[in-house]
Amino acid sequence: MNIAIIGSGLTGSLAAISLANTGCIVDLYERLSDEELININQTYVITHSSRKILENIGIWSDLVSLLVPFQYLNVIDYEINSYCQFLINDLNKLDQKYSTFGWIAEHKLIMPSILGFISNIDNINRIPTSVIPNTNNYDLIVAADGSSSNTKKRLKTPSFDFSYNQVYLTAKVLLRGVKSNEAYVILNREGPFEILPLGGDVFQIICNQSIAKGMYNMSLPNSLFLDYLSTVLPYGIEPDTFIDPPKSFPINFIFNYSFFSGKYIYLGETAHKLHTVGGHDLNLCWRDVECLTKLISNPLFKKNYSLIPITYSVLRLGDVLSISILTESLVRFSRSDLMIFALPRKIIFFILKKSSIVRKFIHNLITNGLMHV
């Protein structure tokens, strides 16, 4: 099968490797240089669902040394002063043997390794443009050119989208008073606040807040921004200094009404983009890759490629929709200051602290998606 992939970011590149492994001839179109692809200041949470995908593709052993494992995920709700900790025991039995709850990945570290892996695969042809001269040369065309996809605009594919009227500020910071093997998700009225370990005393801070407050904080000198961080970090955790200066990015939501258009298939953020809370959006994108690879490998579709796009769209809808609803509920719930929600929030945290079964279910849903719960 001849396949064109538009976009060689993390999702497009992974799709190229995965589909090439099935025997497909892949043309990977990308207008950006390798330097531009690598030089992106982003941090991801890698779950066990992504670990399994990377193992199946054959690149896990190349990437694992570049990832920072963590054993504890602490969830704190500042508004009701409640706390819950997810542990390795909250994973399923097969995942527990890795002795890691999850991994933190820096884009600048893993992207070069993935691009290097691609360069060693004979049936992937990298083409330095995002324009396909003749679409008739391909059985399927995969659009993985991001949330601002030119491909999707050209095909006029409708989507449901909105802005949260928020930005997320992110910075690499030296912290004192926190273990190097734990991560935090903190819920407050401004929006979720995350602390992700990057090794030693270095952590990635991700602050979600209103556009106005974000602009104000970005205008502060580094010393005053550190003072601000000290007011929102959990008790006992103190910011020391910036490793990388703060950067600001808008937050928006995108959900395509269909994940295909003719023989075009939309992958990753070209099809869906969620709130940044939890850093799990990349895992959802990589499950798109897994689903598409399974379909293309299925003998039922070997002689009827035209059924793959619609089948893919139907199969991915449940997983993406369930994670979208779960993420959206968490964001709206955490930002609400209505007293009527105080009691339900306390009940939820009480159940989470007391019931390992509920913790396992919630984590399994977020990690593996609806189809594997």
Side-chain angles (χ1 to χ4, degrees):
M1 184 184 296
N2 293 321
I3 296 178
I5 298 177
I6 305 171
S8 59
L10 284 176
T11 300
S13 292
L14 201 73
I17 296 169
S18 186
L19 297 179
N21 285 350
T22 69
C24 295
I25 305 300
V26 178
D27 284 347
L28 182 57
Y29 289 82
E30 177 58 69
R31 62 181 178 81
L32 299 178
S33 66
D34 284 0
E35 183 179 358
E36 290 173 303
L37 286 170
I38 292 168
N39 194 28
I40 295 174
N41 186 33
Q42 214 160 349
T43 303
Y44 314 99
V45 177
I46 303 296
T47 65
H48 281 275
S49 74
S50 290
R51 185 261 308 159
K52 294 169 191 172
I53 292 168
L54 296 172
E55 283 182 337
N56 290 337
I57 293 173
I59 64 174
W60 174 250
S61 59
D62 291 64
L63 293 181
V64 66
S65 62
L66 305 174
L67 309 179
V68 178
F70 63 97
Q71 282 72 44
Y72 308 96
L73 174 62
N74 305 293
V75 182
I76 304 173
D77 191 329
Y78 275 174
E79 302 304 315
I80 60 171
N81 195 29
S82 292
Y83 164 86
C84 173
Q85 188 175 66
F86 286 81
L87 306 169
I88 292 174
N89 289 340
D90 296 322
L91 302 172
N92 63 47
K93 293 292 185 182
L94 292 177
D95 294 340
Q96 286 181 24
K97 69 179 184 179
Y98 287 84
S99 301
T100 298
F101 191 83
W103 296 263
I104 306 300
E106 291 187 79
H107 183 97
K108 292 179 181 180
L109 294 181
I110 63 173
M111 193 72 225
S113 181
I114 290 175
L115 291 176
F117 202 91
I118 286 175
S119 66
N120 293 319
I121 301 178
D122 292 336
N123 50 331
I124 298 179
N125 178 33
R126 297 185 68 194
I127 303 173
T129 178
S130 59
V131 179
I132 301 176
N134 187 355
T135 59
N136 293 325
N137 291 336
Y138 301 103
D139 301 304
L140 292 174
I141 300 173
V142 176
D145 47 346
S147 57
S148 300
S149 168
N150 289 324
T151 307
K152 192 168 66 173
K153 291 174 184 175
R154 181 168 54 82
L155 295 174
K156 298 180 180 179
T157 303
S159 62
F160 174 70
D161 58 84
F162 62 86
S163 170
Y164 283 93
N165 294 317
Q166 277 197 314
V167 294
Y168 72 90
L169 308 184
T170 181
K172 193 180 294 185
V173 186
L174 277 177
L175 294 180
R176 288 175 279 115
V178 58
K179 297 177 182 178
S180 61
N181 63 349
E182 59 184 348
Y184 285 80
V185 174
I186 300 163
L187 309 177
N188 59 40
R189 292 182 189 180
E190 291 184 5
F193 182 96
E194 298 166 67
I195 306 171
L196 307 176
L198 297 178
D201 296 330
V202 182
F203 292 80
Q204 192 78 29
I205 300 293
I206 302 174
C207 248
N208 294 270
Q209 49 195 219
S210 68
I211 294 174
K213 187 161 186 178
M215 290 177 63
Y216 171 75
N217 283 329
M218 286 296 294
S219 69
L220 294 174
N222 284 353
S223 59
L224 292 181
F225 195 101
L226 288 171
D227 289 343
Y228 163 71
L229 288 180
S230 66
T231 67
V232 292
L233 287 167
Y235 178 76
I237 300 178
E238 295 291 336
D240 194 358
T241 187
F242 285 118
I243 302 298
D244 284 341
K247 293 181 175 61
S248 173
F249 302 92
I251 306 174
N252 60 323
F253 178 95
I254 299 172
F255 194 107
N256 285 15
Y257 293 123
S258 174
F259 293 169
F260 80 103
S261 178
K263 65 178 178 180
Y264 283 81
I265 293 173
Y266 299 125
L267 213 63
E269 290 192 352
T270 309
H272 48 78
K273 183 180 180 184
L274 312 185
H275 195 283
T276 58
V277 61
H280 290 298
D281 199 20
L282 181 66
N283 301 285
L284 193 63
C285 296
W286 284 358
R287 291 206 293 274
D288 292 350
V289 174
E290 179 187 39
C291 178
L292 180 59
T293 302
K294 286 181 177 178
L295 288 176
I296 289 176
S297 302
N298 192 322
L300 293 175
F301 298 102
K302 289 292 184 182
K303 295 183 179 180
N304 200 344
Y305 306 146
S306 61
L307 292 177
I308 292 177
I310 188 171
T311 306
Y312 164 83
S313 187
V314 170
L315 290 177
R316 291 303 299 142
L317 182 62
D319 183 20
V320 177
L321 187 61
S322 63
I323 298 300
S324 299
I325 292 172
L326 186 63
T327 302
E328 184 66 14
S329 299
L330 177 61
V331 172
R332 301 291 177 180
F333 202 55
S334 67
R335 291 178 62 189
S336 175
D337 57 359
L338 296 176
M339 291 302 296
I340 192 172
F341 289 123
L343 182 59
R345 287 163 83 156
K346 289 181 179 179
I347 292 173
I348 289 171
F349 268 83
F350 177 80
I351 294 173
L352 284 173
K353 283 193 286 187
K354 297 295 182 181
S355 175
S356 62
I357 294 175
V358 173
R359 289 197 304 272
K360 285 182 179 180
F361 176 81
I362 294 295
H363 178 260
N364 193 32
L365 175 61
I366 294 173
T367 299
N368 297 306
L370 183 69
M371 303 306 293
H372 298 90
V373 173

